[in-house]
Amino acid sequence: NAGVMQNPRHLVRRRGQEARLRCSPMKGHSHVYWYRQLPEEGLKFMVYLQKENIIDESGMPKERFSAEFPKEGPSILRIQQVVRGDSAAYFCASSPSTDLYGYTFGSGTRLTVV
Amino acid sequence: RKEVEQDPGPFNVPEGATVAFNCTYSNSASQSFFWYRQDCRKEPKLLMSVYSSGNEDGRFTAQLNRASQYISLLIRDSKLSDSATYLCVVTSNAGNNRKLIWGLGTSLAVNP
């Protein structure tokens, strides 16, 4: 029973390129959450998705960032035209329902923009 | 005022010491409370949930004071492996959407 799978583990992008981060939730989990953790800072909520629906994107920057969780396949966090300030660890978590006791994190993707 | 506030530390303690972390939250409507642990450059992992009556799991004890909007975590007989950042987490209800609000964490270093 694999946990929450995120890939890639490390991603290097040049300024102006696009970054795509993938998250496959645990089996049976239909709720996905994305967080960003900047160096020396805490976790910041970005977006909450269920299959084919964005439930809460109040933490997403207004420009360049988007997220989806299609009917088939992993959830994708997409960052267009990356800048150095986007360098961070991006964590995905999943849960089976709105019960937050079942919240499990993936190992994260560390994005470095050069 | 931040929604969840923690003393950032770092706390440096010798092995075997007892250490306590505090956390305050601003939303009186918060219903669920958790302590997570995060090791350097790794994902957060649930340490324990916090119940109104207080709860204990081995060397770890969590307490909740709703009136004061205050949560605590006590670690007894500290081990080197307890060195990590401890994150206080509370739920925020916005309509039907419940989400977790995270503190910035308290750093603990247990020294031999």
Side-chain angles (χ1 to χ4, degrees), chain B residues 26-98:
Chain B
S26 61
N27 185 352
S28 59
S30 295
Q31 294 183 336
S32 302
F33 309 89
F34 308 90
W35 283 102
Y36 275 73
R37 169 193 169 131
Q38 186 174 26
D39 292 278
C40 185
R41 300 181 68 78
K42 297 208 174 161
E43 74 274 23
K45 292 186 178 175
L46 179 65
L47 180 65
M48 59 198 304
S49 303
V50 187
Y51 303 117
S52 296
S53 55
N55 48 300
E56 188 174 309
D57 182 2
R59 298 181 294 107
F60 299 83
T61 301
Q63 297 277 355
L64 168 64
N65 184 323
R66 285 188 185 272
S68 302
Q69 294 179 206
Y70 169 94
I71 306 159
S72 66
L73 176 68
L74 183 76
I75 305 175
R76 290 181 298 278
D77 188 22
S78 300
K79 311 289 185 193
L80 294 176
S81 58
D82 294 334
S83 299
T85 297
Y86 291 82
L87 302 163
C88 174
V89 188
V90 307
T91 56
S92 168
N93 286 22
N96 291 323
N97 175 24
R98 296 172 65 222

Side-chain angles (χ1 to χ4, degrees), chain A residues 74-94:
Chain A
S75 175
I76 305 287
L77 178 68
R78 182 181 177 209
I79 312 172
Q80 295 178 288
Q81 298 175 325
V82 295
V83 300
R84 288 229 170 100
D86 296 333
S87 296
Y90 292 83
F91 290 101
C92 168
S94 71

